Amino acid sequence: MRLLSLCAYYLIVRHLPTTETPVIGLGIRRVRRLLVGRIFKHSGQNVNINKNVYFGTGADISIGNNSSIEPDCQIANDTIIGDDVMIAPEVIIFSKGHNTKQTDIAMRLQGDTAQRPVTIGNDVWIGQRSIILPGVFIADGAIVGAGSVVTKNVAEKTVVAGNPAKFIKTRQ
């Protein structure tokens, strides 16, 4: 059932219009929610996966209640997303990279680094075109400004932005 759901998602459902499309958007949202419920390790209630989201096999992704992933995002297969999380369009979340330590061997031949999953707490907003690097923890109530590259953990109720993302302020 999981494999069939994954095939249906990538072959058809991923390419359907956005969930904001008048008249049919609500139905599309329900179909995507049904499929990711069968694909992801855990999928909470009222989840919104929008158009053209890529998540590999999705087998180790957990997403909490009322969380949304907007169009054209790429989510690492082992990402943990809390409740009430807003992930804006074109966000990329990585959980591994390439080994580069040896200079006498081409980087493409050195293989991948060990996986380091990303964890996103509750009530987090990640702005459009942000990039989250492997192993990052984004704590509850944080905001990541649009276009940011997050290389380090983000503390609770803080706003970060930039490349690399830096502390901007604390939310009150």
Side-chain angles (χ1 to χ4, degrees), residues 51-55 68-76 79 81 85-94 118 120 124-133 138 144-150:
K51 180 180 182 177
N52 205 31
V53 172
Y54 179 82
F55 47 74
S68 179
I69 302 174
E70 292 302 313
D72 302 315
C73 290
Q74 296 177 23
I75 309 297
T79 303
I81 301 167
V85 173
M86 300 180 295
I87 300 177
E90 302 175 25
V91 168
I92 301 172
I93 299 174
F94 292 105
V118 168
I120 301 168
V124 171
W125 177 15
I126 300 176
Q128 186 165 357
R129 293 189 178 167
S130 292
I131 298 171
I132 314 299
L133 294 184
I138 301 175
V144 175
S148 297
V149 178
V150 183

Side-chain angles (χ1 to χ4, degrees), residues 56-119:
T57 67
D60 292 320
I61 292 177
S62 291
I63 186 168
N65 299 325
N66 306 308
S67 291
S68 179
I69 302 174
E70 292 302 313
D72 302 315
C73 290
Q74 296 177 23
I75 309 297
N77 185 44
D78 50 4
T79 303
I80 299 168
I81 301 167
D83 295 334
D84 301 304
V85 173
M86 300 180 295
I87 300 177
E90 302 175 25
V91 168
I92 301 172
I93 299 174
F94 292 105
S95 66
K96 64 181 178 177
H98 297 284
N99 287 316
T100 59
K101 291 185 179 186
Q102 295 179 275
T103 57
D104 58 331
I105 299 173
M107 288 181 278
R108 68 179 181 81
L109 299 175
Q110 293 183 46
D112 293 334
T113 59
Q115 282 190 277
R116 295 173 37 226
V118 168
T119 302

